Amino acid sequence: MGNIYSAQNVAAYLIYELNGKNSFINSYSLQDLLAEIDKLWYKNFGHTAFKEETGSTSEGGYYVKEVFDAYKEFENRHLFLPAKEWHLEYGQFQLVLRPYAVPLFTAMELLLINDVLSEFHKYAAKRAS
């Protein structure tokens, strides 16, 4: 049984991983990756991967609207860092602006996500050559 995550947190993981592999990622390819991950989640676990409502990239240009809105200003430009969120820890009086956190995936979930990233990396390399 797979967990359900915030798409913003999964997007943060994808951005960090692809930057670590020197792979290009923009707001549109991020949406495609989220859609692929969600398909694998349905196939393997029988439910969605995300807490947020999902759509279709062919209809609205986005799969997860909240993630699309967070990266909309970047359009086709490379994403170096995840979007930021306001965070207030219990007992504090100051809001902190920080990048979305990376989730702690299970081993099976990590395999699925890394499969999607590998395919994306191969496709991007093939398209560039």
Side-chain angles (χ1 to χ4, degrees), residues 75-126:
E75 294 181 350
N76 285 331
R77 291 177 289 170
H78 179 68
L79 302 173
F80 290 102
L81 290 172
K84 296 185 178 190
E85 66 174 334
W86 288 104
H87 178 74
L88 179 65
E89 287 190 27
Y90 182 76
Q92 289 187 347
F93 297 100
Q94 183 176 355
L95 286 172
V96 177
L97 186 62
R98 66 176 190 187
Y100 279 95
V102 173
L104 294 171
F105 297 113
T106 65
M108 178 65 174
E109 293 168 347
L110 204 51
L111 280 173
L112 294 175
I113 290 173
N114 286 333
D115 284 347
V116 170
L117 285 174
S118 294
E119 289 301 314
F120 176 79
H121 192 63
K122 286 179 198 172
Y123 174 74
K126 191 184 291 186

